[in-house]
């Protein structure tokens, strides 16, 4: 099977990222012109590979928590018993967009201290809105005939939700999760300002020491991760959509 140019480019980016994380010293000749006064070329205050794993871990935990809460709220407000809570739910999930992550960090640090916890709170709040809105859209725009057919064969409300509604809405929900993940990948870098272990540590070290090579390393790793994860989740969405018969093959 012949691979298309975009696929080849992404595979090349993945291979380049893995090579850099495992053997950053190979790239010293390329990065050397970006440094002055014999400054270190490759980030030397920690392992880039470990920082990348820690960065992804924070994003994963925050996105998982945001998905659970946002999906639960979307399910609640799309049931007759919870429809009246829609305005309140929208207000709650908008908190993260109303207060910038930096402001959330500033408020959280005095209460819970430095480290990963303030960053997790900021990413959790910031990731709620896209997941909630997409889940709400997916659950309120289901094919009426399919839902009625499920009711007609005797499914109760719980069975319809788990076996019909959520599977049909899954591609739209995943699109919201994808957006939340990409936002969190970039936003997590500011967590290093409150001592969280993220790739922002590399960028901040470069800014403090005026080392452009450090800044470029941290920024490129985050950027490549964002592109690859975005494309990977997009591919999963397309597969799910085709299986549900809501996208052209």
């Amino acid at each position: 099977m012949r691979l298309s140019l975009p696929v080849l480019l992404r595979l090349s980016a993945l291979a380049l990222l893995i090579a850099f994380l495992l053997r950053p010293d190979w790239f010293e000749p390329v990065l050397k012109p970006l440094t002055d006064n014999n400054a270190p070329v490759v980030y030397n205050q920690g392992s880039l590979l470990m920082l990348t794993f820690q960065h992804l871990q924070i994003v994963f935990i925050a996105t998982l928590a945001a998905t659970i809460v946002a999906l639960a709220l979307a399910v609640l407000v799309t049931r007759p018993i919870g429809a009246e809570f829609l305005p309140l739910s929208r207000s709650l999930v908008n908190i993260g967009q109303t207060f910038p992550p930096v402001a959330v960090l500033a408020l959280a640090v005095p209460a819970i201290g430095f480290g990963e916890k303030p960053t997790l709170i900021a990413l959790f709040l910031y990731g709620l809105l896209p997941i909630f809105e997409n889940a709400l859209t997916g659950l309120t725009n289901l094919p009426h005939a399919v839902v009625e057919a499920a009711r007609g064969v005797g499914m109760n409300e719980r069975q319809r939700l788990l076996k019909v509604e959520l599977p049909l809405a899954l591609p739209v929900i995943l699109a919201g999760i994808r957006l939340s993940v990409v936002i969190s990948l970039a936003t997590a870098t500011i967590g290093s300002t409150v001592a969280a272990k993220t790739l922002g540590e590399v960028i901040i070290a470069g800014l403090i020491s005026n080392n452009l090579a450090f800044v470029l390393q941290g920024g490129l790793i985050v950027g490549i991760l964002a592109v690859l994860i975005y494309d990977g989740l997009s591919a999963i969405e397309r597969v799910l959509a085709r299986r549900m018969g809501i996208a052209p093959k």
Side-chain angles (χ1 to χ4, degrees):
M1 183 177 63
R2 190 173 183 179
L3 297 177
S4 63
L5 180 60
V7 173
L8 287 173
L9 289 175
R10 281 153 179 79
L11 289 175
S12 300
L14 177 60
L16 186 66
L17 176 61
I18 293 172
F20 181 72
L21 292 177
L22 294 177
R23 294 300 303 268
D25 54 294
W26 290 352
F27 297 82
E28 286 191 12
V30 178
L31 297 171
K32 182 66 175 177
L34 300 176
T35 62
D36 296 317
N37 302 320
N38 294 318
V41 177
V42 176
Y43 184 70
N44 60 353
Q45 300 171 33
S47 166
L48 286 173
L49 180 61
M50 186 57 64
L51 283 175
T52 301
F53 279 129
Q54 291 171 319
H55 190 103
L56 290 173
Q57 183 182 49
I58 289 175
V59 171
F60 174 78
I61 294 172
T63 303
L64 179 62
T67 299
I68 292 171
V69 173
L71 191 55
L73 285 174
V75 170
L76 173 65
V77 299
T78 53
R79 307 303 100 181
I81 193 174
E84 61 184 283
F85 295 105
L86 178 57
L88 175 61
S89 297
R90 275 217 164 99
S91 298
L92 289 174
V93 299
N94 271 295
I95 290 176
Q97 306 293 324
T98 303
F99 294 96
V102 174
V104 175
L105 290 177
L107 293 172
V109 167
I112 60 177
F114 289 88
E116 292 184 358
K117 291 181 181 179
T119 306
L120 286 171
I121 293 173
L123 296 183
F124 165 75
L125 292 175
Y126 211 56
L128 283 172
L129 183 62
I131 301 174
F132 174 80
E133 289 296 342
N134 275 53
L136 190 63
T137 299
L139 291 171
T140 54
N141 289 278
L142 297 168
H144 181 71
V146 175
V147 177
E148 286 301 314
R151 185 179 287 110
V153 298
M155 286 187 181
N156 58 36
E157 186 172 340
R158 180 174 175 275
Q159 290 173 324
R160 291 197 302 273
L161 174 66
L162 297 177
K163 296 183 178 181
V164 178
E165 296 180 26
L166 285 177
L168 285 174
L170 189 56
V172 181
I173 295 171
L174 191 57
I177 295 173
R178 168 169 50 87
L179 180 58
S180 180
V181 168
V182 172
I183 292 173
S184 293
L185 276 169
T187 308
T189 56
I190 67 170
S192 292
T193 60
V194 294
K197 287 291 185 178
T198 73
L199 289 164
E201 184 178 308
V202 185
I203 298 172
I204 292 172
L207 293 173
I208 292 174
S209 62
N210 196 30
N211 189 329
L212 186 57
F214 284 5
V215 177
L216 185 64
Q217 287 164 50
L220 281 178
I221 294 172
V222 173
I224 292 173
L225 285 173
V227 170
L228 293 176
I229 292 175
Y230 182 95
D231 286 348
L233 291 175
S234 295
I236 295 173
E237 287 171 45
R238 290 192 293 271
V239 170
L240 290 174
R242 286 198 296 267
R243 288 185 177 181
M244 298 299 170
I246 55 178
K249 295 186 178 181

